[in-house]
Amino acid sequence: MIIVLKQRATHDDLTRVEQMIKRRGLDTHIVEGSEMTIIGCIGDTTQIDSKLFEVDSAVDKVMHVQEPYKLANRAFHPEDSIIDVSGVKVGGGSLALIAGPCSVESYEQVLEIANAAKASGANLLRGGAFKPRTSPYSFQGMGVDGLDILCKVREATGLPIVTELMSPEHLDLFNEKVDLIQIGARNMQNFDLLKQLGRLNRPILLKRGFNATYEEWIMAAEYIMAAGNENVILCERGIRTFESYTRNTLDLQSIPVLRKLTHLPVIVDPSHAGGKWWLVEPMAKASVAAGADGLMIEVHNNPECALCDGAQSLKPQKYDVLLKEIRQIAEVIGKNI
Ligand code: PEP
Ligand code: MN
């Protein structure tokens, strides 16, 4: 249930209505926007008579929210959420441009890629240190050493870092060192992990599971938000379909749908969607044109020898050309880059 206050409602009005809600055993979530103040009621509202609130002189209207997600729901928060990733704004009018290798392989490798990507316009650096690989015989990532390399490259370039957390064992380490904590497709419904992210101060990049519906994906975000961390960015990365030519199928429709259903920023990872480097450019452009709040793209200085996902990685020079084109699209749709 959502209670919208009249424009002239005072702070005392807000406190009074809030107390009425709390007396009925519910929690509140207040959004004071530039246009209006909204009180989201959290808990079992099925037995609450909305007329109790409608008669209050400060209340404009009472609306029932059908969806099972509340905090992530756009009805609770009509304005776009803007997430601050160590000074880089994601959402609203800005584009997050995350680039870097699939996996951290060495300091020199990450530094070279980061410098090139930054010169092209990237504002966040990605790189996997702990890798979720399908085969236990594949390269599993450099682990803590890889994270240290990312931190050193951040120091050298000033780019905030994005990297995947797989295990609750590393929560505190990531909270201390990582600017944007990535939760991968394979862990999107690892509910214990999601609950623990709620106690961190860092924003979370939540990738869509290969077979997750929109509602399941938003409910995963709701887990993190309900546990206390509302700084969640969603990332579409392709879903499994019957088509086997591409690695996954990029669901472009998810961008307008998620932006309609939630207030959270929605970015796109075209690299893991198509699995082929030459699909990255058209899908990245389509994503921005469809309203994405950013792109996460794998860039490698020597894709032929990459330890992971070379086939879908762009060379720095191709990334540079792509960002020039993205800039033109961003301008047309009114995003800053
Ligand atoms: C990644 O971004 O490195 C990754 C493993 O992606 P996903 O979880 O989407 O497969
Ligand atoms: Mn990868």
Side-chain angles (χ1 to χ4, degrees), residues 102 126 131 247 272 298 308-309 312:
C102 179
R126 66 149 286 149
K131 293 302 303 176
R247 185 172 177 176
H272 289 88
E298 287 186 338
C308 186
D309 288 348
Q312 66 193 35

Side-chain angles (χ1 to χ4, degrees), residues 51-103:
K51 287 197 192 70
L52 282 172
F53 298 98
E54 276 159 0
V55 295
D56 190 284
S57 59
V59 171
D60 185 18
K61 56 187 168 192
V62 180
M63 297 182 310
H64 281 280
V65 176
Q66 307 299 333
E67 294 85 9
Y69 45 88
K70 311 291 174 199
L71 298 172
N73 201 314
R74 195 174 274 276
F76 264 54
H77 191 295
E79 287 161 21
D80 289 347
S81 272
I82 299 176
I83 312 287
D84 188 315
V85 182
S86 304
V88 176
K89 301 270 188 283
V90 185
S94 314
L95 271 190
L97 295 167
I98 309 174
C102 179
S103 303

Side-chain angles (χ1 to χ4, degrees), residues 169-237:
E169 183 195 339
H170 297 122
L171 276 163
D172 291 332
L173 180 70
F174 272 59
N175 199 31
E176 186 193 330
K177 299 192 166 174
V178 177
D179 301 286
L180 176 58
I181 299 176
Q182 178 176 328
I183 299 300
R186 292 156 190 80
N187 270 317
M188 190 208 82
Q189 282 188 314
N190 182 341
F191 299 116
D192 275 344
L193 184 61
L194 298 179
K195 282 182 202 166
Q196 301 209 40
L197 297 171
R199 69 174 172 83
L200 307 188
N201 312 316
R202 300 290 186 175
I204 309 296
L205 180 66
L206 181 66
K207 297 191 95 179
R208 180 181 186 181
F210 328 108
N211 56 1
T213 63
Y214 299 144
E215 190 166 294
E216 287 164 343
W217 186 14
I218 302 171
M219 288 307 277
E222 188 82 8
Y223 259 94
I224 303 170
M225 299 173 85
N229 185 351
E230 297 192 10
N231 295 311
V232 180
I233 300 167
L234 301 167
C235 179
E236 162 66 37
R237 45 78 72 211

Side-chain angles (χ1 to χ4, degrees), residues 27-323:
D27 236 342
T28 57
H29 185 264
I30 315 289
V31 180
E32 289 187 79
S34 51
E35 302 282 306
M36 56 183 155
T37 299
I38 292 175
I39 310 175
C41 305
I42 300 166
D44 182 9
T45 54
T46 49
Q47 304 305 319
I48 309 275
D49 181 0
S50 53
K51 287 197 192 70
L52 282 172
F53 298 98
E54 276 159 0
V55 295
D56 190 284
S57 59
V59 171
D60 185 18
K61 56 187 168 192
V62 180
M63 297 182 310
H64 281 280
V65 176
Q66 307 299 333
E67 294 85 9
Y69 45 88
K70 311 291 174 199
L71 298 172
N73 201 314
R74 195 174 274 276
F76 264 54
H77 191 295
E79 287 161 21
D80 289 347
S81 272
I82 299 176
I83 312 287
D84 188 315
V85 182
S86 304
V88 176
K89 301 270 188 283
V90 185
S94 314
L95 271 190
L97 295 167
I98 309 174
C102 179
S103 303
V104 174
E105 297 171 16
S106 70
Y107 175 70
E108 293 70 25
Q109 170 235 16
V110 183
L111 184 67
E112 188 179 325
I113 297 168
N115 275 329
K118 185 181 174 186
S120 303
N123 48 18
L124 296 164
L125 170 66
R126 66 149 286 149
F130 297 88
K131 293 302 303 176
R133 303 305 300 277
T134 302
S135 165
Y137 308 117
S138 302
F139 175 57
Q140 300 288 306
M142 290 181 72
V144 176
D145 292 343
L147 188 52
D148 288 341
I149 289 174
L150 284 170
C151 293
K152 279 197 201 137
V153 176
R154 171 177 55 200
E155 234 170 75
T157 60
L159 289 174
I161 57 173
V162 186
T163 193
E164 179 166 351
L165 170 71
M166 292 204 296
S167 162
E169 183 195 339
H170 297 122
L171 276 163
D172 291 332
L173 180 70
F174 272 59
N175 199 31
E176 186 193 330
K177 299 192 166 174
V178 177
D179 301 286
L180 176 58
I181 299 176
Q182 178 176 328
I183 299 300
R186 292 156 190 80
N187 270 317
M188 190 208 82
Q189 282 188 314
N190 182 341
F191 299 116
D192 275 344
L193 184 61
L194 298 179
K195 282 182 202 166
Q196 301 209 40
L197 297 171
R199 69 174 172 83
L200 307 188
N201 312 316
R202 300 290 186 175
I204 309 296
L205 180 66
L206 181 66
K207 297 191 95 179
R208 180 181 186 181
F210 328 108
N211 56 1
T213 63
Y214 299 144
E215 190 166 294
E216 287 164 343
W217 186 14
I218 302 171
M219 288 307 277
E222 188 82 8
Y223 259 94
I224 303 170
M225 299 173 85
N229 185 351
E230 297 192 10
N231 295 311
V232 180
I233 300 167
L234 301 167
C235 179
E236 162 66 37
R237 45 78 72 211
I239 49 173
R240 263 212 185 138
T241 66
F242 55 82
E243 183 53 69
S244 57
Y245 182 81
T246 49
R247 185 172 177 176
N248 292 288
T249 296
L250 181 63
D251 179 9
L252 280 171
Q253 293 176 141
S254 70
I255 306 160
V257 172
L258 271 284
R259 286 181 43 75
K260 178 181 165 70
L261 299 179
T262 86
H263 51 90
L264 302 172
V266 182
I267 73 160
V268 173
D269 168 355
S271 309
H272 289 88
K276 300 177 195 299
W277 68 267
W278 51 271
L279 277 173
V280 171
E281 180 227 304
M283 292 301 99
K285 290 184 194 166
S287 301
V288 173
D293 294 299
L295 295 167
M296 168 137 117
I297 292 179
E298 287 186 338
V299 178
H300 200 287
N301 49 351
N302 189 5
E304 295 80 6
C305 300
L307 293 181
C308 186
D309 288 348
Q312 66 193 35
S313 299
L314 290 188
K315 290 185 179 162
Q317 189 242 336
K318 285 235 158 28
Y319 182 70
D320 189 64
V321 173
L322 171 62
L323 282 206

